[in-house]
Amino acid sequence: MKSVQFISITPQELQEEILKGVQKQLEEFKKDLSKTNQIELLSRADVAKLLQIDLSTLYNWTKKGTLTSYGIGNRVYYKREEVESAIIRLN
């Protein structure tokens, strides 16, 4: 276990240093949190363009369960992360 010695530091200076450390950690946490919570939705046309396929192929892949679609009203969306993870490596 590490031991910490405070030599010639006032309680006010100690408090300021602790606050700086906490603020720094909170900023890093905010950055990480904002990265993980962003879900990019793609339209059918966006996915077809990204994968260089026809819309009918996209429909068939969705129907087979290769890709998962999400809807809002009568609009269909795909999560970019899921589309990219559906791409498999061929040896």
PDB file of all heavy atoms in Angstrom, residues 6 8 18-19 23 25 27 30 36 38 42-43 49 58 62 69-71 76 80 87-89:
ATOM      1  N   PHE A   6       1.879  14.740   3.092  1.00  0.00           N
ATOM      2  CA  PHE A   6       1.543  16.106   2.722  1.00  0.00           C
ATOM      3  C   PHE A   6       2.488  17.031   3.467  1.00  0.00           C
ATOM      4  O   PHE A   6       2.382  17.199   4.668  1.00  0.00           O
ATOM      5  CB  PHE A   6       0.095  16.432   3.098  1.00  0.00           C
ATOM      6  CG  PHE A   6      -0.908  15.557   2.397  1.00  0.00           C
ATOM      7  CD1 PHE A   6      -1.546  14.528   3.063  1.00  0.00           C
ATOM      8  CD2 PHE A   6      -1.195  15.765   1.056  1.00  0.00           C
ATOM      9  CE1 PHE A   6      -2.462  13.724   2.421  1.00  0.00           C
ATOM     10  CE2 PHE A   6      -2.115  14.960   0.398  1.00  0.00           C
ATOM     11  CZ  PHE A   6      -2.746  13.940   1.086  1.00  0.00           C
ATOM     12  N   SER A   8       3.892  20.760   3.750  1.00  0.00           N
ATOM     13  CA  SER A   8       3.618  22.180   3.509  1.00  0.00           C
ATOM     14  C   SER A   8       2.528  22.406   2.453  1.00  0.00           C
ATOM     15  O   SER A   8       2.703  23.107   1.481  1.00  0.00           O
ATOM     16  CB  SER A   8       4.899  22.939   3.129  1.00  0.00           C
ATOM     17  OG  SER A   8       5.417  22.488   1.888  1.00  0.00           O
ATOM     18  N   ILE A  18      -7.785  17.942  -5.123  1.00  0.00           N
ATOM     19  CA  ILE A  18      -8.766  16.854  -5.187  1.00  0.00           C
ATOM     20  C   ILE A  18      -9.857  17.202  -6.199  1.00  0.00           C
ATOM     21  O   ILE A  18     -10.241  16.366  -7.025  1.00  0.00           O
ATOM     22  CB  ILE A  18      -9.361  16.566  -3.795  1.00  0.00           C
ATOM     23  CG1 ILE A  18      -8.289  15.955  -2.884  1.00  0.00           C
ATOM     24  CG2 ILE A  18     -10.576  15.642  -3.897  1.00  0.00           C
ATOM     25  CD1 ILE A  18      -8.710  15.819  -1.438  1.00  0.00           C
ATOM     26  N   LEU A  19     -10.342  18.436  -6.165  1.00  0.00           N
ATOM     27  CA  LEU A  19     -11.372  18.864  -7.104  1.00  0.00           C
ATOM     28  C   LEU A  19     -10.881  18.800  -8.548  1.00  0.00           C
ATOM     29  O   LEU A  19     -11.620  18.382  -9.444  1.00  0.00           O
ATOM     30  CB  LEU A  19     -11.851  20.276  -6.770  1.00  0.00           C
ATOM     31  CG  LEU A  19     -12.759  20.399  -5.548  1.00  0.00           C
ATOM     32  CD1 LEU A  19     -13.063  21.868  -5.251  1.00  0.00           C
ATOM     33  CD2 LEU A  19     -14.051  19.626  -5.757  1.00  0.00           C
ATOM     34  N   GLN A  23     -12.652  16.527 -11.381  1.00  0.00           N
ATOM     35  CA  GLN A  23     -13.137  17.142 -12.608  1.00  0.00           C
ATOM     36  C   GLN A  23     -12.516  16.498 -13.840  1.00  0.00           C
ATOM     37  O   GLN A  23     -13.199  16.255 -14.838  1.00  0.00           O
ATOM     38  CB  GLN A  23     -12.856  18.649 -12.604  1.00  0.00           C
ATOM     39  CG  GLN A  23     -13.756  19.416 -11.651  1.00  0.00           C
ATOM     40  CD  GLN A  23     -13.365  20.874 -11.520  1.00  0.00           C
ATOM     41  OE1 GLN A  23     -12.263  21.261 -11.877  1.00  0.00           O
ATOM     42  NE2 GLN A  23     -14.276  21.676 -10.986  1.00  0.00           N
ATOM     43  N   GLN A  25     -11.424  13.399 -14.105  1.00  0.00           N
ATOM     44  CA  GLN A  25     -12.023  12.077 -14.260  1.00  0.00           C
ATOM     45  C   GLN A  25     -13.443  12.172 -14.811  1.00  0.00           C
ATOM     46  O   GLN A  25     -13.853  11.361 -15.655  1.00  0.00           O
ATOM     47  CB  GLN A  25     -12.028  11.321 -12.923  1.00  0.00           C
ATOM     48  CG  GLN A  25     -10.657  10.920 -12.441  1.00  0.00           C
ATOM     49  CD  GLN A  25      -9.980   9.951 -13.403  1.00  0.00           C
ATOM     50  OE1 GLN A  25     -10.594   9.036 -13.923  1.00  0.00           O
ATOM     51  NE2 GLN A  25      -8.708  10.189 -13.664  1.00  0.00           N
ATOM     52  N   GLU A  27     -14.651  14.530 -16.810  1.00  0.00           N
ATOM     53  CA  GLU A  27     -14.555  14.883 -18.229  1.00  0.00           C
ATOM     54  C   GLU A  27     -14.235  13.653 -19.070  1.00  0.00           C
ATOM     55  O   GLU A  27     -14.828  13.449 -20.133  1.00  0.00           O
ATOM     56  CB  GLU A  27     -13.502  15.974 -18.447  1.00  0.00           C
ATOM     57  CG  GLU A  27     -13.897  17.337 -17.928  1.00  0.00           C
ATOM     58  CD  GLU A  27     -15.169  17.859 -18.567  1.00  0.00           C
ATOM     59  OE1 GLU A  27     -15.340  17.711 -19.798  1.00  0.00           O
ATOM     60  OE2 GLU A  27     -16.012  18.405 -17.823  1.00  0.00           O
ATOM     61  N   LYS A  30     -17.340  11.523 -19.270  1.00  0.00           N
ATOM     62  CA  LYS A  30     -18.319  12.095 -20.198  1.00  0.00           C
ATOM     63  C   LYS A  30     -17.970  11.748 -21.640  1.00  0.00           C
ATOM     64  O   LYS A  30     -18.838  11.410 -22.432  1.00  0.00           O
ATOM     65  CB  LYS A  30     -18.385  13.618 -20.054  1.00  0.00           C
ATOM     66  CG  LYS A  30     -19.155  14.114 -18.872  1.00  0.00           C
ATOM     67  CD  LYS A  30     -19.196  15.628 -18.913  1.00  0.00           C
ATOM     68  CE  LYS A  30     -19.671  16.248 -17.643  1.00  0.00           C
ATOM     69  NZ  LYS A  30     -19.627  17.721 -17.699  1.00  0.00           N
ATOM     70  N   THR A  36     -20.181   5.811 -26.353  1.00  0.00           N
ATOM     71  CA  THR A  36     -20.883   4.536 -26.307  1.00  0.00           C
ATOM     72  C   THR A  36     -22.378   4.685 -26.481  1.00  0.00           C
ATOM     73  O   THR A  36     -23.033   3.726 -26.889  1.00  0.00           O
ATOM     74  CB  THR A  36     -20.603   3.802 -24.978  1.00  0.00           C
ATOM     75  OG1 THR A  36     -20.985   4.636 -23.893  1.00  0.00           O
ATOM     76  CG2 THR A  36     -19.142   3.437 -24.857  1.00  0.00           C
ATOM     77  N   GLN A  38     -23.987   6.797 -28.534  1.00  0.00           N
ATOM     78  CA  GLN A  38     -24.404   7.287 -29.831  1.00  0.00           C
ATOM     79  C   GLN A  38     -24.711   6.120 -30.747  1.00  0.00           C
ATOM     80  O   GLN A  38     -23.845   5.322 -31.073  1.00  0.00           O
ATOM     81  CB  GLN A  38     -23.321   8.166 -30.454  1.00  0.00           C
ATOM     82  CG  GLN A  38     -23.141   9.483 -29.739  1.00  0.00           C
ATOM     83  CD  GLN A  38     -22.048  10.313 -30.394  1.00  0.00           C
ATOM     84  OE1 GLN A  38     -21.309   9.824 -31.224  1.00  0.00           O
ATOM     85  NE2 GLN A  38     -21.960  11.564 -30.014  1.00  0.00           N
ATOM     86  N   LEU A  42     -29.206   4.189 -39.926  1.00  0.00           N
ATOM     87  CA  LEU A  42     -29.064   4.318 -41.366  1.00  0.00           C
ATOM     88  C   LEU A  42     -30.391   3.960 -42.029  1.00  0.00           C
ATOM     89  O   LEU A  42     -31.070   3.028 -41.606  1.00  0.00           O
ATOM     90  CB  LEU A  42     -27.978   3.371 -41.889  1.00  0.00           C
ATOM     91  CG  LEU A  42     -26.580   3.530 -41.301  1.00  0.00           C
ATOM     92  CD1 LEU A  42     -25.671   2.412 -41.799  1.00  0.00           C
ATOM     93  CD2 LEU A  42     -26.000   4.882 -41.658  1.00  0.00           C
ATOM     94  N   SER A  43     -30.728   4.680 -43.079  1.00  0.00           N
ATOM     95  CA  SER A  43     -31.928   4.355 -43.844  1.00  0.00           C
ATOM     96  C   SER A  43     -31.653   3.146 -44.728  1.00  0.00           C
ATOM     97  O   SER A  43     -30.506   2.700 -44.869  1.00  0.00           O
ATOM     98  CB  SER A  43     -32.337   5.550 -44.704  1.00  0.00           C
ATOM     99  OG  SER A  43     -31.376   5.746 -45.731  1.00  0.00           O
ATOM    100  N   LYS A  49     -26.381   1.441 -50.111  1.00  0.00           N
ATOM    101  CA  LYS A  49     -25.210   2.123 -50.679  1.00  0.00           C
ATOM    102  C   LYS A  49     -23.933   1.680 -49.971  1.00  0.00           C
ATOM    103  O   LYS A  49     -22.919   1.419 -50.614  1.00  0.00           O
ATOM    104  CB  LYS A  49     -25.390   3.633 -50.564  1.00  0.00           C
ATOM    105  CG  LYS A  49     -24.299   4.435 -51.216  1.00  0.00           C
ATOM    106  CD  LYS A  49     -24.570   5.923 -51.131  1.00  0.00           C
ATOM    107  CE  LYS A  49     -23.429   6.705 -51.741  1.00  0.00           C
ATOM    108  NZ  LYS A  49     -23.644   8.150 -51.653  1.00  0.00           N
ATOM    109  N   LEU A  58     -31.310  -6.218 -49.774  1.00  0.00           N
ATOM    110  CA  LEU A  58     -31.419  -5.766 -48.386  1.00  0.00           C
ATOM    111  C   LEU A  58     -32.720  -6.294 -47.767  1.00  0.00           C
ATOM    112  O   LEU A  58     -32.725  -6.774 -46.631  1.00  0.00           O
ATOM    113  CB  LEU A  58     -31.356  -4.246 -48.305  1.00  0.00           C
ATOM    114  CG  LEU A  58     -31.495  -3.630 -46.921  1.00  0.00           C
ATOM    115  CD1 LEU A  58     -30.372  -4.106 -46.001  1.00  0.00           C
ATOM    116  CD2 LEU A  58     -31.501  -2.112 -47.011  1.00  0.00           C
ATOM    117  N   THR A  62     -32.914  -8.902 -44.636  1.00  0.00           N
ATOM    118  CA  THR A  62     -33.682  -8.547 -43.439  1.00  0.00           C
ATOM    119  C   THR A  62     -34.706  -9.639 -43.144  1.00  0.00           C
ATOM    120  O   THR A  62     -34.881 -10.043 -41.987  1.00  0.00           O
ATOM    121  CB  THR A  62     -34.382  -7.191 -43.635  1.00  0.00           C
ATOM    122  OG1 THR A  62     -33.402  -6.204 -43.949  1.00  0.00           O
ATOM    123  CG2 THR A  62     -35.126  -6.767 -42.380  1.00  0.00           C
ATOM    124  N   SER A  69     -33.833  -4.882 -38.793  1.00  0.00           N
ATOM    125  CA  SER A  69     -34.352  -3.551 -39.087  1.00  0.00           C
ATOM    126  C   SER A  69     -35.155  -3.042 -37.895  1.00  0.00           C
ATOM    127  O   SER A  69     -35.672  -3.821 -37.096  1.00  0.00           O
ATOM    128  CB  SER A  69     -35.221  -3.573 -40.344  1.00  0.00           C
ATOM    129  OG  SER A  69     -36.355  -4.389 -40.146  1.00  0.00           O
ATOM    130  N   TYR A  70     -35.255  -1.726 -37.814  1.00  0.00           N
ATOM    131  CA  TYR A  70     -36.018  -1.052 -36.770  1.00  0.00           C
ATOM    132  C   TYR A  70     -36.921  -0.037 -37.436  1.00  0.00           C
ATOM    133  O   TYR A  70     -36.559   0.540 -38.457  1.00  0.00           O
ATOM    134  CB  TYR A  70     -35.077  -0.352 -35.767  1.00  0.00           C
ATOM    135  CG  TYR A  70     -34.128  -1.315 -35.092  1.00  0.00           C
ATOM    136  CD1 TYR A  70     -32.888  -1.606 -35.651  1.00  0.00           C
ATOM    137  CD2 TYR A  70     -34.486  -1.940 -33.908  1.00  0.00           C
ATOM    138  CE1 TYR A  70     -32.026  -2.503 -35.040  1.00  0.00           C
ATOM    139  CE2 TYR A  70     -33.622  -2.839 -33.292  1.00  0.00           C
ATOM    140  CZ  TYR A  70     -32.394  -3.111 -33.867  1.00  0.00           C
ATOM    141  OH  TYR A  70     -31.553  -3.997 -33.256  1.00  0.00           O
ATOM    142  N   GLY A  71     -38.076   0.172 -36.880  1.00  0.00           N
ATOM    143  CA  GLY A  71     -39.006   1.086 -37.513  1.00  0.00           C
ATOM    144  C   GLY A  71     -39.496   2.169 -36.587  1.00  0.00           C
ATOM    145  O   GLY A  71     -39.631   1.981 -35.383  1.00  0.00           O
ATOM    146  N   VAL A  76     -38.019   2.704 -42.059  1.00  0.00           N
ATOM    147  CA  VAL A  76     -37.195   1.562 -41.666  1.00  0.00           C
ATOM    148  C   VAL A  76     -35.761   2.029 -41.506  1.00  0.00           C
ATOM    149  O   VAL A  76     -35.226   2.744 -42.364  1.00  0.00           O
ATOM    150  CB  VAL A  76     -37.272   0.441 -42.728  1.00  0.00           C
ATOM    151  CG1 VAL A  76     -36.364  -0.715 -42.348  1.00  0.00           C
ATOM    152  CG2 VAL A  76     -38.708  -0.029 -42.899  1.00  0.00           C
ATOM    153  N   ARG A  80     -25.956   1.194 -37.583  1.00  0.00           N
ATOM    154  CA  ARG A  80     -24.686   1.055 -38.297  1.00  0.00           C
ATOM    155  C   ARG A  80     -23.812  -0.026 -37.670  1.00  0.00           C
ATOM    156  O   ARG A  80     -23.216  -0.840 -38.361  1.00  0.00           O
ATOM    157  CB  ARG A  80     -23.916   2.368 -38.317  1.00  0.00           C
ATOM    158  CG  ARG A  80     -22.537   2.239 -38.984  1.00  0.00           C
ATOM    159  CD  ARG A  80     -21.747   3.531 -38.983  1.00  0.00           C
ATOM    160  NE  ARG A  80     -22.174   4.451 -39.986  1.00  0.00           N
ATOM    161  CZ  ARG A  80     -21.789   4.418 -41.270  1.00  0.00           C
ATOM    162  NH1 ARG A  80     -20.994   3.474 -41.684  1.00  0.00           N
ATOM    163  NH2 ARG A  80     -22.213   5.315 -42.123  1.00  0.00           N
ATOM    164  N   ILE A  87     -20.988  -8.098 -41.241  1.00  0.00           N
ATOM    165  CA  ILE A  87     -20.011  -8.414 -42.261  1.00  0.00           C
ATOM    166  C   ILE A  87     -19.005  -9.394 -41.663  1.00  0.00           C
ATOM    167  O   ILE A  87     -18.366  -9.107 -40.656  1.00  0.00           O
ATOM    168  CB  ILE A  87     -19.281  -7.140 -42.755  1.00  0.00           C
ATOM    169  CG1 ILE A  87     -20.296  -6.173 -43.365  1.00  0.00           C
ATOM    170  CG2 ILE A  87     -18.188  -7.490 -43.756  1.00  0.00           C
ATOM    171  CD1 ILE A  87     -19.727  -4.817 -43.693  1.00  0.00           C
ATOM    172  N   ILE A  88     -18.881 -10.561 -42.276  1.00  0.00           N
ATOM    173  CA  ILE A  88     -17.997 -11.588 -41.741  1.00  0.00           C
ATOM    174  C   ILE A  88     -16.754 -11.735 -42.608  1.00  0.00           C
ATOM    175  O   ILE A  88     -16.785 -11.439 -43.810  1.00  0.00           O
ATOM    176  CB  ILE A  88     -18.709 -12.948 -41.620  1.00  0.00           C
ATOM    177  CG1 ILE A  88     -19.225 -13.409 -42.993  1.00  0.00           C
ATOM    178  CG2 ILE A  88     -19.829 -12.880 -40.608  1.00  0.00           C
ATOM    179  CD1 ILE A  88     -19.774 -14.796 -42.994  1.00  0.00           C
ATOM    180  N   ARG A  89     -15.702 -12.187 -42.016  1.00  0.00           N
ATOM    181  CA  ARG A  89     -14.440 -12.378 -42.728  1.00  0.00           C
ATOM    182  C   ARG A  89     -14.458 -13.723 -43.436  1.00  0.00           C
ATOM    183  O   ARG A  89     -14.826 -14.743 -42.860  1.00  0.00           O
ATOM    184  CB  ARG A  89     -13.274 -12.324 -41.737  1.00  0.00           C
ATOM    185  CG  ARG A  89     -11.951 -12.500 -42.393  1.00  0.00           C
ATOM    186  CD  ARG A  89     -10.838 -12.428 -41.404  1.00  0.00           C
ATOM    187  NE  ARG A  89      -9.602 -12.730 -42.093  1.00  0.00           N
ATOM    188  CZ  ARG A  89      -8.412 -12.642 -41.567  1.00  0.00           C
ATOM    189  NH1 ARG A  89      -8.294 -12.262 -40.318  1.00  0.00           N
ATOM    190  NH2 ARG A  89      -7.351 -12.921 -42.245  1.00  0.00           N
TER     191      ARG A  89
END
